[in-house]
Amino acid sequence: MASRQRYDFLLYGIFVAAILLAPLMLEEFWLNRIAKYLVFGMLGVAVALSWGYAGILNLGQGLFFGAGAYMLAMSLKLASPTSLQQGSDKPVPDFMLWNAEPGALTQLCCINKGSFIWLPFQSQWFGVAMGIVLPVAIATITGMIVFRNRISGVFVSIITLALVLLVRLLVIDAQPLTNGFNRLTDLAWLTIGAFQFDPYSRATYYLVAIALSLVLVGARLLVSTRAGLILQATRDDETRARYLGLDVPSYQIFFFVVSAAICGFAGMLYVMVSEFASPTFMDLSFSITMVVWAAVGGRSSILGACVGAILINMIEAKVSETKALVEVWKAVVGLIFVLVVLYLPRGLGGFAHDLLDRWRARNAEAVPDEGLVAERRDTVAERG
Amino acid sequence: MAATALTIDGLEVSFGSVKAVNNVTMTIAEGELRVLLGANGAGKTTLMDLISGRTHSTRGHIHLYDTEITNWQEHRIARAGIGRKFQIPSVFRELTVRQNFEVASCRNPSVFANLGFGFSRQTLARIEEVLAIVDLRDKADVTAAYLSHGQTQWLELGLLMLQDPKVILLDEPTAGMTAAETKKTAKIINSMRGKHTLLVVEHDMAFVREIAERITVLHLGEVLAEGDIASIETDQAVRRAYLGSRSIS
Amino acid sequence: MIDTMFIGLSLSSILLLVALGLAITYGAMGVINMAHGEMVMLGAYTAVLSRIWLDANIVMAIPIAFVVTAIVGLVIERVIVRRLYGRLLDTLLATWGIAILIQQAIRLELGLSFFGIHVEGLGPGLQNVPVPAALQGTFHLAGVEINTYRAFIIVVTIALAAVTWLLLQRTSIGMQVRAIIRNPKMAAACGVDVARVNALTFAFGSGLAGIAGVMMSGFKTVFPDMGTPMVVDGFLVVVVGGVGSLLGSVLSAGLLGEINSVVAALKNDTIARAVIFGVVILIIVVKPKGLFSFRGR
């Protein structure tokens, strides 16, 4: 086991080095794109944590991503020059002005019903803090209700799915407050001190790459704590864990919340890189797409899920350069997904692990059992 | 006289119109090994469900030493000091044997207390000890799903040893085992004796003779008889109700 | 108000047709078929193509769509789903992949668009299907003005639900399906050819969804993505009704359809759907086994 972990951390080291050194070889235009994919890689980490390790298939991760994105976007919107159109120094989002009732007071407090909730977002750091606090709060409440009531399996998936679609509709319906389908655009850049994070700059890329490295290594360490081990035990057999005296729901809630916090964080980074927040973040297809990335990369491997997300998106970007192939690519993704579920249920990551085990078994003849174990592990995964 | 480990007093539960357990009263002394006998539907497993909190009783009380644990949640009962082995072996199938034992060794139930790495030297030594007792040392790094049926049962017994509860409930620990495996199981259970108070449901009379001190016979949810093995085997009421006219084989 | 209730009933009808197939495949086979929505979409496109190429109206398209979608369903079951029995969440993921494939097949006109061939009625655009004159307008019943097309939807659904019920209760294959719903292993042990029955059930459920698609094409725009919300709604109906309980699905389709149309009349369509999601979450939390279930899976 110990040497297995050594290989693991070696791989993590290689990955981190690769994303940190990438700017030396890439043009600035690509940096922005790759930064986006690194954000998606972070979503892969979140999915692997909750699905692979906790056995909770959350089909509403987009809710937390969207919550993080909107919180930061609201602050950056108010900081944008477009919010100072009415001539005063008090910012009001442009779309509120366009839709204001004639004669309404053009101030954030009362330009329309509810616009006052934007007031604290005049501070950028309030938006940044809320980008984590809100997803964590939603996840804590949801988790308490769901897991304390011992709801499990596909029912958790359906509740999270219904929740993300519910919030998406509310955001769309609250057009005067959120700009609905028209998204929050024309955002300012995040500013720290006097430094502005231009989305196309190296600085922004490094911010995202370092954030991903920290999240990745943090998540990997988290699952190798005792709590991480217990979490995997609850995934295998909730009842057994309960009869050993473990408070199963508290473990499920904790990791559900951690996964949500990562999604919220990713949402904020995405807003920095792509300069908009949209209700499409909370589309069902986006949440399921995240699961696809993790499944292809390997649901039970944090690094695998992360790399899976980045790879799929990079291939997609390459393919999409030829216009005619955009729609074909989507079909190919569908096909890959079917094939992975059928033939590689543990994804590329699991496949790599097995290869590694087999290679090590051949090198160390002393443990002939190992290769056998690796093969049999496939059948275990298939049960799940 | 030893303290009373488990007191069951007037316990009742009904499923629909059927009283699965009806006014059961029994006490088990500290360190005792008690065997529960009874035909299918006599209420043995239901009684275990009631003690371990899986089913909630409609009447009566259960005390663990001086603490009333009636109708608590399962993990609280477990933490109070009652461990349970299921009829169908239940282990963490995708973890290795050693990892299974590590999970069972986690004393502190809270998430935040377990955010650290590794285990104390003492715990690790204890895990080695248990690995030896249940004879799974050379399988320590094997994923539990690949153990044989008997090995899985021993793994679950090992989990209980590491959980180290005061009272252990064993539901048919030898079900589906070969004769050799049954013998080994008897050895493991005998090694647990004294350190824990044990309540065992069992059908296999050869096995019962091997381990039993006192026996309680349940019939249609009620206590029919209680005594040592010799007195139970000759008890007329037991013969009529449970064994029919045949003698115990 | 009665008008609103009536709209709700027609909505419920569509929901029910979609949900019946899901209820059977999920209840009997333990398969979460995310491609079920695409059967609705294919049904709708069958109506589009029947009008263009066969000059057939909606009523005539119903049997065609049933056959087409049933065959597609049968192929999906034989080629992919049958390898995934017992892996509930994997079926969800694999069928999601299938759903994308079917959507892209329509968008890319079955791949023909590459060779410059365009099939009228397919492609990424929006399509509309006119309702035949006989089903347009309204009629009066007991003093209430009723939309003829909505009444048509309700009548067809009642007829199909009755047929489904008869098939399940009165035929030997129906009895086998019920046996599988209760206990698939036992059914197999008793000589039921589970693989064959599952395939037929899957095909039948797909066919019903196809019919729902034909009827939807009469009052909604047809486009390649239209299936996704339908499969979500269908699942909500099944879960609320209780897995494995067909009567539960009927009642919960009625409940959700009515809530939708009442809230839509009071506020708007967006809020109506939001309310539906809220209600469903509440029901799962309070009664995870569904409102009318006899068994959880």
Side-chain angles (χ1 to χ4, degrees), chain C residues 162-217:
Chain C
V163 168
T164 309
W165 188 83
L166 282 174
L167 281 176
L168 279 174
Q169 302 292 328
R170 293 279 182 272
T171 66
S172 95
I173 190 123
M175 194 170 70
Q176 295 177 20
V177 172
R178 281 183 292 141
I180 294 174
I181 291 182
R182 296 294 171 121
N183 187 339
K185 283 195 184 133
M186 200 60 211
C190 294
V192 174
D193 184 349
V194 175
R196 184 172 151 265
V197 174
N198 277 353
L200 290 177
T201 316
F202 205 93
F204 182 74
S206 301
L208 288 184
I211 296 179
V214 175
M215 296 200 292
M216 269 181 78
S217 70

Side-chain angles (χ1 to χ4, degrees), chain A residues 1 148 150 220-222 224-230 232-251 254-255 369 373-381 383-384, chain B residues 52-54 73-75 78-79 82-86 90-96 99 102-104 106 108-119 139 141-143 145-146 156 159-160 163:
Chain A
M1 272 337 263
R148 290 274 170 221
R150 294 205 189 157
R220 181 64 184 80
L221 288 175
L222 193 58
S224 45
T225 60
R226 290 189 296 276
L229 187 64
I230 294 172
Q232 295 172 63
T234 65
R235 171 200 63 197
D236 281 7
D237 196 329
E238 255 181 64
T239 315
R240 178 73 270 173
R242 209 170 275 135
Y243 284 97
L244 286 175
L246 298 164
D247 184 19
V248 174
S250 69
Y251 285 84
F254 178 79
F255 281 88
D369 249 349
V373 172
E375 265 165 44
R376 284 168 136 192
R377 225 171 263 137
D378 288 335
T379 52
V380 178
R383 278 189 312 101
Chain B
S52 60
R54 179 171 241 191
Q73 284 197 339
E74 295 104 314
H75 71 275
R79 240 180 284 158
I82 293 186
R84 174 169 188 187
K85 191 192 159 315
F86 293 90
S90 146
V91 299
F92 306 118
R93 295 175 54 88
E94 289 184 39
L95 302 183
T96 64
Q99 285 175 323
E102 286 172 354
V103 171
C106 288
N108 198 322
S110 127
V111 186
F112 296 100
N114 284 320
L115 285 179
F117 300 94
F119 296 84
K139 301 276 179 198
D141 292 321
V142 172
T143 307
Y146 309 127
E156 200 180 5
L159 290 179
L160 288 173
Q163 183 194 355

Side-chain angles (χ1 to χ4, degrees), chain B residues 57-107:
Chain B
S57 61
T58 37
R59 267 181 68 184
H61 306 276
I62 305 168
H63 283 84
L64 176 66
Y65 292 87
D66 294 329
T67 319
E68 168 148 17
I69 55 163
T70 322
N71 297 347
W72 281 12
Q73 284 197 339
E74 295 104 314
H75 71 275
R76 283 188 64 207
I77 293 181
R79 240 180 284 158
I82 293 186
R84 174 169 188 187
K85 191 192 159 315
F86 293 90
Q87 198 167 339
I88 298 160
S90 146
V91 299
F92 306 118
R93 295 175 54 88
E94 289 184 39
L95 302 183
T96 64
V97 170
R98 192 187 299 280
Q99 285 175 323
N100 266 275
F101 283 167
E102 286 172 354
V103 171
S105 307
C106 288
R107 283 282 162 277

Side-chain angles (χ1 to χ4, degrees), chain B residues 37-55:
Chain B
L37 276 182
N40 284 332
K44 297 161 300 185
T45 300
T46 310
L47 184 60
M48 292 211 159
D49 286 348
L50 289 167
I51 299 173
S52 60
R54 179 171 241 191
T55 310

Side-chain angles (χ1 to χ4, degrees), chain B residues 1 30-31 36 53 66 105 112 120 160 167 175 185 193 197 225 240 244:
Chain B
M1 201 194 142
E30 182 168 57
L36 270 182
D66 294 329
S105 307
F112 296 100
S120 71
L160 288 173
V167 174
T185 309
R193 173 179 268 185
T197 307
R240 268 198 310 276

